[in-house]
Amino acid sequence: MAGAAGSAREATTVPPLRLVENSQFGAIPPDQLTAMAMHNERRTGLSRALYEEFRARIADGTYAAGAVLPSTRALAAERGLSRATVTLVYEQMAADGLIDSRAGAASRVAAGAAAPAPPRRARAATTAAATVTATAAGGLAGRLSRIGQHMQALQLADPRPTQPGEIDFVYGPLAGRDFPTSTWMKALRAVERQRMPRLEYEDPRGNLELRRALQKHLSQSRGLTCAVEQILIVNGSQQALDLCARLLINPGDSVVVENPGYRMAHHAFEAYGARLWSAPVDAQGLVTQRLAAAGDAKLAYVTPTHQFPLGAFLPMARRRQLLDWAARHHAWIIEDDYDSEYRYTVRPEATLQSLDAHGCVIHVGTFSKTLSPQLRLGYMVLPPALAETFAAARRVSDRHGATGMQRALARILEDGSYDRHVRRIRRLQQARQHALVQALERHLGPQVTVQGAASGLHLVVWFNDVPAAMEPALVDAARACGVRVYPISPLYLPGTDERQANPAAGLVMGYALLESDTIAAGIQRLAEAVARTRPGQGG
Ligand SMILES: Cc1ncc(COP(=O)(O)O)c(C=O)c1O
């Protein structure tokens, strides 16, 4: 009741009920029309809210046909409304055929006023998401495309919210406090002040100012040379992967992927019917010697600057082997350069794109790791032969990304503030990583092996005395100690042998959200959890 009265109070600005147009039943006497004309805004809003409440309940069957409505006097008293307001609502409902009201008799819900019950199949689609997943397989049979069916089967879980006081070593998000808010706002304001005389659709490849700025930036920071026509601005790397999967893969084609690897890329390929060919990863990254067995794979997806998640940097000899393989097999290579800004010990080496003599490398980058994943700003550097096709696909799917954001990004790339921000944030992240490594050494020492500390925003930590099968127990024990950690096993392709290469439990530990003291406290808690998890401790 309180809720209904509250919503009525909020609804004072909605347009008045349609009183005359629908009064074909002649239910509203002229004197009441005069009274209605005199409604103040508040009263109109209250009557509208009450009307909508009845209409919704009659439509969803809460008030069934024939059900008796309370008298206008009782309802007015219950809701704290004037009787005239309630009477008007009843008359409007009668005029709209929702209720039957006769002088001297109680008003009743009219027969046929409720919406017919949805057929069983349609009803499944309107229930809660969990029920949809459980029941829709049969209900949607034959009604989803192959891609739709694949998406349905994926069942990707939304991240569980962090509990108060929990220390979260998640990898992916950045800290809001690290975002260069004033720089970004200044750039946004400046570009919005220069409103363009014509607000027209942009080039599907993206805003030209941004592509020019990026061309210069990539040449300076990554030694990558390309024409502006080869650059396509995308809504984050994920859109780049989706476009590659759509435009380069036919159902049944085989795609080489690193194992363990970036599962969001794997999902994009599998959605379009790719068969994933698992390539093992060792301390130097993708084991390119194994590619000879990859047969006629159409595409290889790789993270050569910072293998995700193990952190290796692919050495030059393997880069050349990979490029040779692609040239021999007319295969494409997607080079995902997702966090090359965070190399702490050495400068990032030449990209695959710069070594590519055969036009087979698609270079993909993102601003999700330096600015924010919420901006959805990334880019592709395409081989010239693919540029037109990808631009056409982009035009057809969503025309292009938001122009204001692209122009703001162009501005901060051009005026040097982006580079200054990256230098600042790199120092911050390096300090956090240092704190994490130190805390691991201090609290867990020889019990752990740390991998991937040369770069990035995460580490892989192997627990030498905890078997891989106990990873879930370790995660649960950590949770009980107030620390949230993420197992590495889900990053291995299901049904492959690669996970067995390392018998230890492993965690992917992100540090971008945490300050050094919190990191130290988190690792102390984790050490307690490990002590509870070691075999023989009763898990
Ligand atoms: C390997 C890899 N590539 C790319 C991305 C970035 O994706 P996006 O640009 O879609 O935000 C991530 C994010 O975590 C990643 O781990």
Side-chain angles (χ1 to χ4, degrees):
M1 286 299 140
S7 63
R9 234 174 271 122
E10 283 154 22
T12 50
T13 53
V14 294
L17 288 168
R18 291 168 294 114
L19 294 168
V20 181
E21 308 88 88
N22 264 0
S23 60
Q24 66 268 45
F25 303 108
I28 306 174
D31 60 322
Q32 286 190 358
L33 279 175
T34 314
M36 285 179 240
M38 285 162 56
H39 274 186
N40 61 26
E41 276 217 336
R42 182 173 174 274
R43 186 159 165 205
T44 307
L46 296 175
S47 58
R48 167 107 195 171
L50 186 61
Y51 175 90
E52 289 300 337
E53 187 184 332
F54 270 114
R55 196 177 58 80
R57 293 195 176 176
I58 291 170
D60 72 12
T62 311
Y63 297 160
V68 176
L69 270 64
S71 71
T72 51
R73 186 192 305 275
L75 188 61
E78 185 189 312
R79 297 292 176 100
L81 299 171
S82 77
R83 195 168 166 204
T85 300
V86 177
T87 305
L88 280 175
V89 170
Y90 276 31
E91 287 172 350
Q92 181 63 45
M93 291 197 293
D96 289 347
L98 294 174
I99 61 171
D100 294 325
S101 33
R102 265 174 290 120
S107 299
R108 289 174 182 275
V109 176
R120 286 180 73 86
R121 267 200 314 193
R123 215 178 305 147
T126 60
T127 49
T131 326
V132 172
T133 322
T135 61
L140 288 175
R143 302 180 71 210
L144 287 176
S145 69
R146 279 182 62 162
I147 298 170
Q149 286 168 35
H150 187 85
M151 297 296 179
Q152 187 190 39
L154 273 182
Q155 294 188 21
L156 298 177
D158 286 329
R160 185 175 61 82
T162 313
Q163 301 303 311
E166 201 171 40
I167 298 176
D168 189 359
F169 286 95
V170 64
Y171 161 75
L174 301 185
R177 63 186 178 284
D178 292 343
F179 185 76
T181 308
S182 61
T183 305
W184 184 250
M185 293 304 290
K186 203 168 122 203
L188 267 183
R189 271 197 302 274
V191 299
E192 289 304 336
R193 265 198 300 272
Q194 299 168 350
R195 217 358 103 223
M196 295 158 163
R198 287 164 59 115
L199 300 179
E200 51 196 348
Y201 293 111
E202 285 233 69
D203 189 316
R205 280 171 279 225
N207 176 261
L208 185 58
E209 293 164 41
L210 175 56
R211 286 186 291 132
R212 285 198 180 124
L214 203 50
Q215 180 192 36
K216 203 161 115 199
H217 174 75
L218 289 173
S219 151
Q220 285 165 357
S221 66
R222 302 295 283 119
L224 185 158
T225 46
C226 66
V228 281
E229 290 75 23
Q230 286 174 261
I231 298 179
L232 184 77
I233 307 299
V234 282
N235 293 331
S237 326
Q238 199 60 33
Q239 186 177 41
L241 299 174
D242 183 76
L243 282 170
C244 289
R246 277 202 284 147
L247 302 181
L248 306 177
I249 293 167
N250 281 316
D253 283 349
S254 140
V255 170
V256 173
V257 294
E258 298 162 333
N259 189 12
Y262 185 44
R263 296 291 288 143
M264 284 293 282
H266 304 172
H267 294 322
F269 304 133
E270 281 187 310
Y272 293 96
R275 284 180 294 118
L276 300 184
W277 194 87
S278 155
V281 176
D282 66 13
Q284 296 192 307
L286 178 83
V287 182
T288 43
Q289 296 85 329
R290 295 280 284 274
L291 287 174
D296 57 353
K298 284 280 166 54
L299 182 95
Y301 164 78
V302 291
T303 49
T305 306
H306 187 217
Q307 200 280 326
F308 184 82
L310 297 180
F313 176 74
L314 198 69
M316 188 55 83
R318 289 196 183 183
R319 286 173 188 245
R320 296 219 181 274
Q321 250 172 346
L322 175 62
L323 288 163
D324 286 351
W325 167 83
R328 269 201 313 279
H329 289 82
H330 297 291
W332 303 105
I333 297 173
I334 301 177
E335 172 179 41
D336 185 352
D337 202 50
Y338 65 106
D339 70 355
S340 58
E341 295 81 1
Y342 299 103
R343 280 194 72 77
Y344 305 126
T345 46
V346 282
R347 245 179 93 81
E349 264 206 55
T351 58
L352 284 177
Q353 196 274 355
S354 358
L355 300 170
D356 175 23
H358 295 94
C360 55
V361 174
I362 299 163
H363 182 89
V364 175
T366 182
F367 290 90
S368 290
K369 302 288 163 199
T370 50
L371 290 172
S372 162
Q374 297 184 340
L375 290 179
R376 307 312 300 138
L377 279 168
Y379 54 89
M380 310 177 77
V381 179
L382 290 153
L386 287 180
E388 284 289 328
T389 309
F390 274 66
R394 188 73 205 275
R395 194 193 296 269
V396 169
S397 66
D398 67 340
R399 289 203 187 255
H400 60 76
T403 299
M405 306 272 260
Q406 295 186 45
R407 291 176 66 211
L409 179 57
R411 212 177 164 92
I412 65 171
L413 283 167
E414 276 295 335
D415 69 11
S417 45
Y418 177 77
D419 284 340
R420 280 194 295 281
H421 164 71
V422 169
R423 282 197 293 275
R424 184 180 73 87
I425 193 167
R426 186 191 293 127
R427 279 195 301 274
L428 280 177
Q429 304 295 12
Q430 185 169 16
R432 289 169 189 161
Q433 196 214 64
H434 183 67
L436 176 55
V437 174
Q438 276 200 324
L440 286 164
E441 274 170 11
R442 178 149 170 234
H443 295 289
L444 286 155
Q447 298 174 59
V448 292
T449 304
V450 174
Q451 196 169 356
S455 56
L457 300 177
H458 72 277
L459 292 175
V460 171
V461 180
W462 299 103
F463 294 79
N464 304 327
D465 309 328
V466 182
M470 291 188 79
E471 245 171 38
L474 174 60
V475 171
D476 287 349
R479 206 155 131 199
C481 295
V483 63
R484 192 153 164 205
V485 289
Y486 300 82
I488 195 167
S489 292
L491 302 184
Y492 285 83
L493 287 187
T496 56
D497 297 334
E498 313 303 342
R499 181 66 184 94
Q500 277 84 61
N502 190 336
L507 298 178
V508 178
M509 301 196 68
Y511 41 81
L513 285 186
L514 305 172
E515 294 309 340
S516 302
D517 48 351
T518 321
I519 290 173
I523 296 306
Q524 197 170 355
R525 292 184 193 180
L526 183 62
E528 275 171 49
V530 176
R532 292 187 200 174
T533 313
R534 262 190 259 113
Q537 303 297 307

